[in-house]
Amino acid sequence: ETAATPAPTRAGAEPLARMRKAIARAMSDSKPGIPHIYVTIEVDMDAAMALREQLAESGIKLSVNDLVVKAAAKALTKLPAVNTSYSLTADGQPGITRHQQINVSVAVALDDGLIAPVVKDADKKSVGAISAEIRDMAGRAREGKIKQSELEGATFQVSNLGMFGVTEFVSIITVPQAASIAVGAVRKQPVVRNDQIVVGQVMNITISADHRIVDGAVAAQYLKELKGLLEAPLSVLV
């Protein structure tokens, strides 16, 4: 591995805030040290958006991200090779840790940086429970009241910039996780169904994976599983 190039010294530079300094250190550890591979898939979100509307009429409000987090966790149960970490064996040789828990961190933007509360055992929780937990932790994070234990133990990460109209982006993996997904906006565009051009709702998801332990084919299989769950959203609710 090559060492990161030191930043030049500038007389007018202002010091980074403590959170931004921690983010800079974590990202520097991740990007130079991890050989990232990126794979993107397009998801038909018509059924998912229709389900959200039906649930909202019953007083149950779920965000697209709530559905994605649950589907992401459920997909990891089918592709456990993604729920891993590159690590060293007892004798210092390159190795892999296969996580028994599926703990999904959700990136939350703050005024002075970024924080990622962790939904523990996300595969075993209902979408409603996940939704309430994310809202609670995100709210307390913005108030500076989140517990350190709620920021630790993630095995996978979901980052969503769809609310800003971003259609596609890539995320940096957080050490020691092996993968992260970047979720874009749900947008209307022409699609072909039964050889007819109609207006559909689509969303792009890009996975960033640690190529030392996750190959491109495995990353693609994971996205295919995730796509299938989101396109048949009732399967995400059970």
Side-chain angles (χ1 to χ4, degrees), residues 21-38:
K21 192 181 297 183
I23 292 170
R25 183 168 57 249
M27 294 302 97
S28 295
D29 287 345
S30 296
K31 193 64 172 175
I34 298 176
H36 287 55
I37 184 173
Y38 308 107

Side-chain angles (χ1 to χ4, degrees), residues 159-171:
S159 181
N160 193 331
L161 293 179
M163 66 288 294
F164 299 109
V166 173
T167 58
E168 185 178 324
F169 69 107
V170 296
S171 55

Side-chain angles (χ1 to χ4, degrees), residues 2 14 16 22 31 36 41 59 65-66 81 125 143 151 159 164 172 180 185 189 192 204 207 217 222 226 233:
T2 57
E14 62 180 71
L16 293 178
K31 193 64 172 175
H36 287 55
I41 201 165
N65 206 52
D66 296 332
K125 294 176 178 174
E143 296 171 358
L151 303 174
S159 181
F164 299 109
I172 296 176
S180 169
Q189 68 175 40
V192 177
N204 284 356
I207 187 170
Y222 174 80
L226 178 57

